[in-house]
Amino acid sequence: MEQSAVQLLYEALIEAWNKRDAKGMACLFAGNGVMIGFDGSVATGPQEVLAHTAPIFASHPTPPFIKKVKEIRMFGADAAMLRAIAGMVPPGKKELAPELNAHQTLVAAKQDGEWKIELFQNTPAQFHGRPELVEEMTEELIRIMNKA
């Protein structure tokens, strides 16, 4: 049951991103929860997450994530880690852009009965020197995209 709640938290985060909803994203973070973006930028706490994402959504046509949860690991009853892979189809395109593939890690903790994000990290999956791994990840995400 707790694993489902953690997955729902991740799904809510991705849905907020896909809707370009900075407030919706920010409210999912714990008071000192950290977001590390694709470019390495860091925002701590809901206010910084909001201040960081709102201008991005206002000035850039951010593509939605295509994602697949790979693992949810519980650390007791009140802490968990979720690992996923994600890709994006740039605006005006029909295919995933492999250079935008990422590993996503979410660490969550239950506070006062509610799951909150303690860490969300979106790391580029470039696999330097191993193009077959980029292709493998892209193909896996294409299968997810084609099911939707």
Side-chain angles (χ1 to χ4, degrees):
M1 185 166 132
E2 297 298 343
Q3 283 188 340
S4 296
V6 172
Q7 180 148 352
L8 286 173
L9 179 64
Y10 172 73
E11 299 284 343
L13 179 70
I14 298 304
E15 183 177 332
W17 171 273
N18 289 352
K19 290 181 176 179
R20 303 166 50 106
D21 178 4
K23 287 181 184 177
M25 283 183 67
C27 75
L28 300 171
F29 282 80
N32 60 352
V34 175
M35 181 180 74
I36 303 174
F38 193 79
D39 67 349
S41 57
V42 177
T44 302
Q47 295 294 55
E48 281 189 25
V49 170
L50 177 61
H52 178 75
T53 55
I56 292 170
F57 292 149
S59 63
H60 300 292
T62 54
F65 283 118
I66 309 301
K67 55 27 179 168
K68 179 179 182 181
V69 173
K70 302 293 276 184
E71 170 186 23
I72 300 173
R73 191 181 309 170
M74 300 300 299
F75 302 109
D78 297 336
M81 177 192 72
L82 178 147
R83 253 184 353 94
I85 59 172
M88 297 174 144
V89 177
K93 304 288 184 178
K94 294 182 180 180
E95 295 183 8
L96 285 169
E99 66 275 11
L100 298 177
N101 288 355
H103 291 281
Q104 295 182 332
T105 305
L106 181 140
V107 176
K110 191 190 269 188
Q111 302 171 359
D112 299 322
E114 184 178 9
W115 285 96
K116 291 288 189 177
I117 299 168
E118 293 291 343
L119 171 69
F120 177 70
Q121 184 162 352
N122 192 44
T123 304
Q126 300 299 302
F127 301 108
H128 296 191
R130 296 169 289 162
E132 70 280 3
L133 295 178
V134 174
E135 186 175 317
E136 182 181 307
M137 180 184 270
T138 302
E139 289 299 321
E140 188 171 0
L141 291 166
I142 287 170
R143 287 192 297 275
I144 297 298
M145 191 171 71
N146 289 338
K147 286 182 184 178

